[in-house]
Amino acid sequence: AARLADASHNDRLAAQALGSLVRVVGERLRKPDEAELLARDAEAKERRIGGDDALAAARLQNEAVVLWRAGRLGAARSRGEAALERATRAGSSADVQVLASKATLASIAQHEGRWGEVIDLRRQVLAGYESIFGAEHPEVATAHNNLGTVLSDAGHLHEARVHLLQALRLRQMSLGDDHPTVASTLNNLG
């Protein structure tokens, strides 16, 4: 898609495709140096179209995940914070992107041992997804699971159990009892 968009001189589409490739190449293919080159190419195309906060936020979010997975927490935090800033600036069209940025920042903070920050961000993500999607959406189940896991790790076992049971209920309802994600949630419950 990036090559076709580039060939047709559609910088917006090329920036979007390259921004998505950052995560695929960096995280899934485990080639963070190649992902960095793709990110810089996407960023150049964003500049050519006069900037686009939503596109930049998505690219920065993907860069943050790649850097986090590569263990470069300082750089990951910096990109994650920039992604959150750009997604917030983009406005209501990027509400899900704001929450994705907060979820990534929570993961980074967890690896840094900043439990208060992690729990606060995970609560914000859960509340945001409930507001956007409704209380029974699969993203809400994931947010309950993530918050429950973090609360358990931080020693808040009763509250963790409440969130993990809610995640389990939602996942069983949408996926059925035999789905691997349901098994993962049962494992998190202990």
Side-chain angles (χ1 to χ4, degrees):
R3 284 188 207 148
L4 289 174
D6 218 16
S8 68
H9 305 288
N10 186 335
D11 284 335
R12 179 175 301 284
L13 186 57
Q16 183 179 13
L18 288 166
S20 295
L21 278 174
V22 166
R23 188 156 180 178
V24 171
V25 170
E27 183 182 28
R28 302 242 168 93
L29 299 180
R30 294 187 177 126
K31 297 180 180 181
D33 294 337
E34 288 182 36
E36 177 70 21
L37 295 174
L38 292 168
R40 299 298 62 85
D41 195 12
E43 187 176 21
K45 290 175 185 347
E46 290 165 20
R47 279 196 303 275
R48 276 205 299 263
I49 62 171
D52 182 307
D53 286 327
L55 273 177
R59 172 187 46 80
L60 287 161
Q61 165 72 19
N62 289 335
E63 286 184 69
V65 170
V66 169
L67 290 164
W68 164 56
R69 296 281 189 196
R72 296 177 50 200
L73 298 181
R77 176 175 281 285
S78 175
R79 294 298 199 310
E81 289 170 348
L84 179 57
E85 178 186 327
R86 297 294 291 269
T88 301
R89 195 179 329 155
S92 62
S93 65
D95 284 343
V96 172
Q97 185 62 51
V98 167
L99 297 172
S101 296
K102 287 181 178 186
T104 296
L105 285 169
S107 295
I108 295 164
Q110 185 172 352
H111 277 80
E112 295 171 330
R114 299 175 184 217
W115 294 106
E117 181 181 349
V118 177
I119 291 168
D120 182 52
L121 286 166
R122 291 290 181 201
R123 287 186 198 286
Q124 290 177 41
V125 170
L126 173 59
Y129 281 150
E130 285 179 333
S131 174
I132 292 169
F133 298 124
E136 297 195 351
H137 192 275
E139 287 294 336
V140 173
T142 298
H144 274 293
N145 184 74
N146 292 343
L147 177 55
T149 302
V150 166
L151 288 166
S152 178
D153 290 347
H156 304 284
L157 301 181
H158 176 72
E159 188 179 359
R161 184 168 176 74
V162 169
H163 286 286
L164 290 169
L165 285 171
Q166 181 65 357
L168 179 63
R169 185 187 73 75
L170 293 172
R171 286 176 166 176
Q172 285 174 323
M173 188 172 66
S174 65
L175 301 170
D177 289 338
D178 296 329
H179 195 276
T181 304
V182 172
S184 175
T185 306
L186 284 166
N187 186 56
N188 291 339
L189 274 161

Tab-separated table of all heavy atoms in Angstrom, residues 51-93:
chain	number	residue	atom	x	y	z
A	51	GLY	N	1.342	18.561	7.812
A	51	GLY	CA	1.126	18.051	9.169
A	51	GLY	C	-0.285	17.540	9.349
A	51	GLY	O	-1.221	18.049	8.746
A	52	ASP	N	-0.409	16.530	10.143
A	52	ASP	CA	-1.707	15.929	10.451
A	52	ASP	C	-1.557	15.272	11.815
A	52	ASP	O	-0.856	14.265	11.943
A	52	ASP	CB	-2.080	14.904	9.381
A	52	ASP	CG	-3.440	14.264	9.615
A	52	ASP	OD1	-3.673	13.751	10.734
A	52	ASP	OD2	-4.254	14.266	8.683
A	53	ASP	N	-2.201	15.862	12.819
A	53	ASP	CA	-2.032	15.367	14.188
A	53	ASP	C	-2.471	13.920	14.358
A	53	ASP	O	-1.821	13.151	15.060
A	53	ASP	CB	-2.771	16.267	15.181
A	53	ASP	CG	-2.067	17.591	15.390
A	53	ASP	OD1	-0.819	17.624	15.323
A	53	ASP	OD2	-2.762	18.592	15.624
A	54	ALA	N	-3.553	13.528	13.712
A	54	ALA	CA	-4.036	12.156	13.858
A	54	ALA	C	-3.051	11.160	13.239
A	54	ALA	O	-2.757	10.117	13.840
A	54	ALA	CB	-5.425	12.005	13.238
A	55	LEU	N	-2.529	11.475	12.051
A	55	LEU	CA	-1.528	10.601	11.423
A	55	LEU	C	-0.266	10.526	12.267
A	55	LEU	O	0.289	9.443	12.479
A	55	LEU	CB	-1.155	11.132	10.034
A	55	LEU	CG	-1.991	10.707	8.844
A	55	LEU	CD1	-1.491	11.401	7.575
A	55	LEU	CD2	-1.984	9.214	8.659
A	56	ALA	N	0.187	11.676	12.740
A	56	ALA	CA	1.399	11.704	13.560
A	56	ALA	C	1.197	10.915	14.852
A	56	ALA	O	2.101	10.196	15.281
A	56	ALA	CB	1.798	13.146	13.864
A	57	ALA	N	0.034	11.053	15.454
A	57	ALA	CA	-0.243	10.333	16.707
A	57	ALA	C	-0.169	8.828	16.494
A	57	ALA	O	0.423	8.108	17.298
A	57	ALA	CB	-1.608	10.732	17.255
A	58	ALA	N	-0.758	8.334	15.405
A	58	ALA	CA	-0.730	6.897	15.124
A	58	ALA	C	0.698	6.426	14.885
A	58	ALA	O	1.113	5.373	15.406
A	58	ALA	CB	-1.615	6.584	13.918
A	59	ARG	N	1.467	7.182	14.119
A	59	ARG	CA	2.865	6.802	13.857
A	59	ARG	C	3.681	6.805	15.142
A	59	ARG	O	4.417	5.864	15.442
A	59	ARG	CB	3.502	7.752	12.844
A	59	ARG	CG	5.016	7.521	12.678
A	59	ARG	CD	5.682	8.565	11.813
A	59	ARG	NE	5.336	9.925	12.096
A	59	ARG	CZ	5.849	10.674	13.083
A	59	ARG	NH1	6.726	10.151	13.929
A	59	ARG	NH2	5.483	11.943	13.237
A	60	LEU	N	3.549	7.877	15.930
A	60	LEU	CA	4.292	7.980	17.189
A	60	LEU	C	3.911	6.852	18.152
A	60	LEU	O	4.762	6.319	18.865
A	60	LEU	CB	4.055	9.353	17.828
A	60	LEU	CG	4.762	10.509	17.137
A	60	LEU	CD1	4.119	11.831	17.535
A	60	LEU	CD2	6.249	10.510	17.449
A	61	GLN	N	2.640	6.503	18.172
A	61	GLN	CA	2.161	5.392	18.998
A	61	GLN	C	2.863	4.102	18.595
A	61	GLN	O	3.345	3.342	19.437
A	61	GLN	CB	0.640	5.257	18.832
A	61	GLN	CG	0.044	3.974	19.324
A	61	GLN	CD	0.021	3.883	20.817
A	61	GLN	OE1	0.121	4.888	21.500
A	61	GLN	NE2	-0.084	2.685	21.326
A	62	ASN	N	2.936	3.848	17.287
A	62	ASN	CA	3.603	2.646	16.802
A	62	ASN	C	5.096	2.672	17.118
A	62	ASN	O	5.676	1.654	17.498
A	62	ASN	CB	3.358	2.469	15.306
A	62	ASN	CG	1.924	2.077	15.012
A	62	ASN	OD1	1.241	1.511	15.863
A	62	ASN	ND2	1.455	2.386	13.826
A	63	GLU	N	5.718	3.836	17.003
A	63	GLU	CA	7.127	3.966	17.363
A	63	GLU	C	7.321	3.661	18.853
A	63	GLU	O	8.281	2.973	19.235
A	63	GLU	CB	7.637	5.370	17.077
A	63	GLU	CG	7.846	5.683	15.612
A	63	GLU	CD	8.437	7.069	15.434
A	63	GLU	OE1	9.614	7.267	15.796
A	63	GLU	OE2	7.716	7.959	14.932
A	64	ALA	N	6.437	4.174	19.685
A	64	ALA	CA	6.545	3.949	21.134
A	64	ALA	C	6.485	2.460	21.454
A	64	ALA	O	7.266	1.962	22.273
A	64	ALA	CB	5.444	4.707	21.878
A	65	VAL	N	5.568	1.745	20.814
A	65	VAL	CA	5.440	0.304	21.064
A	65	VAL	C	6.715	-0.425	20.645
A	65	VAL	O	7.224	-1.276	21.374
A	65	VAL	CB	4.199	-0.275	20.346
A	65	VAL	CG1	4.198	-1.792	20.386
A	65	VAL	CG2	2.921	0.277	20.958
A	66	VAL	N	7.241	-0.085	19.474
A	66	VAL	CA	8.463	-0.737	18.982
A	66	VAL	C	9.621	-0.479	19.941
A	66	VAL	O	10.372	-1.402	20.302
A	66	VAL	CB	8.798	-0.255	17.553
A	66	VAL	CG1	10.195	-0.695	17.136
A	66	VAL	CG2	7.746	-0.755	16.563
A	67	LEU	N	9.774	0.767	20.374
A	67	LEU	CA	10.866	1.113	21.292
A	67	LEU	C	10.690	0.421	22.645
A	67	LEU	O	11.654	-0.055	23.244
A	67	LEU	CB	10.942	2.627	21.452
A	67	LEU	CG	11.432	3.373	20.206
A	67	LEU	CD1	11.101	4.850	20.319
A	67	LEU	CD2	12.917	3.151	19.992
A	68	TRP	N	9.449	0.357	23.134
A	68	TRP	CA	9.163	-0.323	24.405
A	68	TRP	C	9.550	-1.798	24.301
A	68	TRP	O	10.222	-2.338	25.175
A	68	TRP	CB	7.690	-0.128	24.758
A	68	TRP	CG	7.169	-1.042	25.809
A	68	TRP	CD1	7.647	-1.226	27.079
A	68	TRP	CD2	6.055	-1.935	25.692
A	68	TRP	NE1	6.889	-2.159	27.756
A	68	TRP	CE2	5.912	-2.603	26.929
A	68	TRP	CE3	5.160	-2.207	24.672
A	68	TRP	CZ2	4.917	-3.550	27.152
A	68	TRP	CZ3	4.164	-3.142	24.894
A	68	TRP	CH2	4.049	-3.804	26.127
A	69	ARG	N	9.115	-2.446	23.226
A	69	ARG	CA	9.423	-3.864	23.045
A	69	ARG	C	10.929	-4.106	22.916
A	69	ARG	O	11.418	-5.163	23.279
A	69	ARG	CB	8.720	-4.422	21.811
A	69	ARG	CG	7.213	-4.399	21.901
A	69	ARG	CD	6.710	-5.515	22.728
A	69	ARG	NE	5.254	-5.580	22.608
A	69	ARG	CZ	4.500	-6.243	23.431
A	69	ARG	NH1	5.020	-6.901	24.433
A	69	ARG	NH2	3.194	-6.250	23.273
A	70	ALA	N	11.645	-3.093	22.396
A	70	ALA	CA	13.096	-3.206	22.237
A	70	ALA	C	13.835	-2.856	23.526
A	70	ALA	O	15.059	-2.904	23.569
A	70	ALA	CB	13.569	-2.313	21.091
A	71	GLY	N	13.068	-2.482	24.585
A	71	GLY	CA	13.677	-2.167	25.871
A	71	GLY	C	14.231	-0.765	25.975
A	71	GLY	O	14.931	-0.447	26.937
A	72	ARG	N	13.906	0.086	25.027
A	72	ARG	CA	14.374	1.474	25.052
A	72	ARG	C	13.278	2.342	25.679
A	72	ARG	O	12.563	3.068	25.000
A	72	ARG	CB	14.732	1.921	23.641
A	72	ARG	CG	15.911	1.117	23.070
A	72	ARG	CD	16.261	1.478	21.658
A	72	ARG	NE	16.418	2.913	21.481
A	72	ARG	CZ	16.334	3.509	20.290
A	72	ARG	NH1	16.097	2.793	19.206
A	72	ARG	NH2	16.487	4.816	20.197
A	73	LEU	N	13.155	2.218	27.009
A	73	LEU	CA	12.016	2.794	27.724
A	73	LEU	C	11.987	4.322	27.678
A	73	LEU	O	10.914	4.917	27.553
A	73	LEU	CB	11.991	2.302	29.163
A	73	LEU	CG	11.822	0.785	29.336
A	73	LEU	CD1	11.787	0.416	30.804
A	73	LEU	CD2	10.595	0.283	28.611
A	74	GLY	N	13.132	4.973	27.805
A	74	GLY	CA	13.155	6.437	27.763
A	74	GLY	C	12.654	6.971	26.431
A	74	GLY	O	11.813	7.878	26.380
A	75	ALA	N	13.160	6.407	25.349
A	75	ALA	CA	12.716	6.825	24.017
A	75	ALA	C	11.254	6.447	23.795
A	75	ALA	O	10.491	7.205	23.193
A	75	ALA	CB	13.605	6.190	22.948
A	76	ALA	N	10.853	5.279	24.299
A	76	ALA	CA	9.459	4.840	24.166
A	76	ALA	C	8.529	5.809	24.882
A	76	ALA	O	7.484	6.204	24.347
A	76	ALA	CB	9.281	3.431	24.725
A	77	ARG	N	8.902	6.206	26.098
A	77	ARG	CA	8.078	7.160	26.861
A	77	ARG	C	7.960	8.482	26.103
A	77	ARG	O	6.886	9.059	25.994
A	77	ARG	CB	8.651	7.381	28.252
A	77	ARG	CG	7.881	8.433	29.052
A	77	ARG	CD	8.375	8.551	30.477
A	77	ARG	NE	7.852	7.484	31.302
A	77	ARG	CZ	6.596	7.431	31.752
A	77	ARG	NH1	5.743	8.365	31.451
A	77	ARG	NH2	6.199	6.428	32.504
A	78	SER	N	9.080	8.956	25.577
A	78	SER	CA	9.084	10.226	24.840
A	78	SER	C	8.136	10.164	23.645
A	78	SER	O	7.329	11.072	23.424
A	78	SER	CB	10.511	10.541	24.376
A	78	SER	OG	10.519	11.691	23.580
A	79	ARG	N	8.205	9.072	22.870
A	79	ARG	CA	7.314	8.923	21.707
A	79	ARG	C	5.871	8.757	22.167
A	79	ARG	O	4.957	9.297	21.551
A	79	ARG	CB	7.714	7.733	20.850
A	79	ARG	CG	9.051	7.805	20.151
A	79	ARG	CD	9.188	8.921	19.174
A	79	ARG	NE	10.251	8.772	18.215
A	79	ARG	CZ	11.517	8.479	18.459
A	79	ARG	NH1	11.914	8.215	19.670
A	79	ARG	NH2	12.397	8.432	17.491
A	80	GLY	N	5.655	7.995	23.247
A	80	GLY	CA	4.300	7.803	23.759
A	80	GLY	C	3.672	9.104	24.219
A	80	GLY	O	2.493	9.365	23.959
A	81	GLU	N	4.450	9.930	24.899
A	81	GLU	CA	3.945	11.230	25.352
A	81	GLU	C	3.646	12.135	24.163
A	81	GLU	O	2.639	12.852	24.153
A	81	GLU	CB	4.943	11.882	26.306
A	81	GLU	CG	4.996	11.177	27.654
A	81	GLU	CD	6.144	11.634	28.538
A	81	GLU	OE1	7.066	12.338	28.044
A	81	GLU	OE2	6.135	11.263	29.736
A	82	ALA	N	4.513	12.093	23.140
A	82	ALA	CA	4.268	12.885	21.935
A	82	ALA	C	3.010	12.392	21.214
A	82	ALA	O	2.219	13.201	20.706
A	82	ALA	CB	5.482	12.821	21.011
A	83	ALA	N	2.815	11.070	21.192
A	83	ALA	CA	1.611	10.505	20.565
A	83	ALA	C	0.360	10.975	21.291
A	83	ALA	O	-0.625	11.373	20.660
A	83	ALA	CB	1.676	8.977	20.569
A	84	LEU	N	0.406	10.955	22.623
A	84	LEU	CA	-0.741	11.410	23.408
A	84	LEU	C	-1.025	12.887	23.148
A	84	LEU	O	-2.183	13.282	22.961
A	84	LEU	CB	-0.492	11.162	24.895
A	84	LEU	CG	-1.590	11.617	25.853
A	84	LEU	CD1	-2.931	10.974	25.520
A	84	LEU	CD2	-1.176	11.306	27.292
A	85	GLU	N	0.019	13.691	23.099
A	85	GLU	CA	-0.151	15.127	22.839
A	85	GLU	C	-0.778	15.369	21.465
A	85	GLU	O	-1.722	16.145	21.328
A	85	GLU	CB	1.204	15.826	22.916
A	85	GLU	CG	1.137	17.308	22.608
A	85	GLU	CD	2.515	17.944	22.559
A	85	GLU	OE1	3.414	17.513	23.300
A	85	GLU	OE2	2.679	18.887	21.763
A	86	ARG	N	-0.278	14.674	20.449
A	86	ARG	CA	-0.799	14.877	19.093
A	86	ARG	C	-2.224	14.332	18.967
A	86	ARG	O	-3.068	14.937	18.309
A	86	ARG	CB	0.118	14.208	18.062
A	86	ARG	CG	1.528	14.771	17.991
A	86	ARG	CD	1.621	16.204	17.484
A	86	ARG	NE	1.313	16.381	16.097
A	86	ARG	CZ	2.187	16.333	15.106
A	86	ARG	NH1	3.453	16.070	15.339
A	86	ARG	NH2	1.788	16.535	13.865
A	87	ALA	N	-2.508	13.183	19.594
A	87	ALA	CA	-3.859	12.633	19.540
A	87	ALA	C	-4.844	13.553	20.238
A	87	ALA	O	-5.957	13.771	19.759
A	87	ALA	CB	-3.890	11.241	20.175
A	88	THR	N	-4.433	14.118	21.362
A	88	THR	CA	-5.292	15.055	22.090
A	88	THR	C	-5.551	16.299	21.242
A	88	THR	O	-6.674	16.785	21.152
A	88	THR	CB	-4.645	15.428	23.437
A	88	THR	OG1	-4.447	14.227	24.189
A	88	THR	CG2	-5.518	16.384	24.227
A	89	ARG	N	-4.511	16.790	20.592
A	89	ARG	CA	-4.638	17.967	19.738
A	89	ARG	C	-5.543	17.688	18.539
A	89	ARG	O	-6.231	18.591	18.049
A	89	ARG	CB	-3.259	18.414	19.259
A	89	ARG	CG	-3.272	19.804	18.691
A	89	ARG	CD	-1.932	20.312	18.233
A	89	ARG	NE	-0.793	19.807	18.947
A	89	ARG	CZ	0.433	19.729	18.436
A	89	ARG	NH1	0.660	20.116	17.189
A	89	ARG	NH2	1.434	19.275	19.147
A	90	ALA	N	-5.553	16.442	18.056
A	90	ALA	CA	-6.371	16.089	16.896
A	90	ALA	C	-7.867	16.167	17.209
A	90	ALA	O	-8.682	16.284	16.314
A	90	ALA	CB	-6.020	14.696	16.396
A	91	GLY	N	-8.232	16.080	18.491
A	91	GLY	CA	-9.628	16.245	18.879
A	91	GLY	C	-10.401	14.947	18.906
A	91	GLY	O	-9.850	13.862	18.944
A	92	SER	N	-11.717	15.077	18.867
A	92	SER	CA	-12.607	13.942	19.100
A	92	SER	C	-12.439	12.829	18.082
A	92	SER	O	-12.750	11.679	18.383
A	92	SER	CB	-14.062	14.415	19.121
A	92	SER	OG	-14.405	14.977	17.875
A	93	SER	N	-11.933	13.123	16.887
A	93	SER	CA	-11.756	12.062	15.901
A	93	SER	C	-10.680	11.075	16.336
A	93	SER	O	-10.571	9.994	15.782
A	93	SER	CB	-11.386	12.657	14.542
A	93	SER	OG	-10.116	13.287	14.624
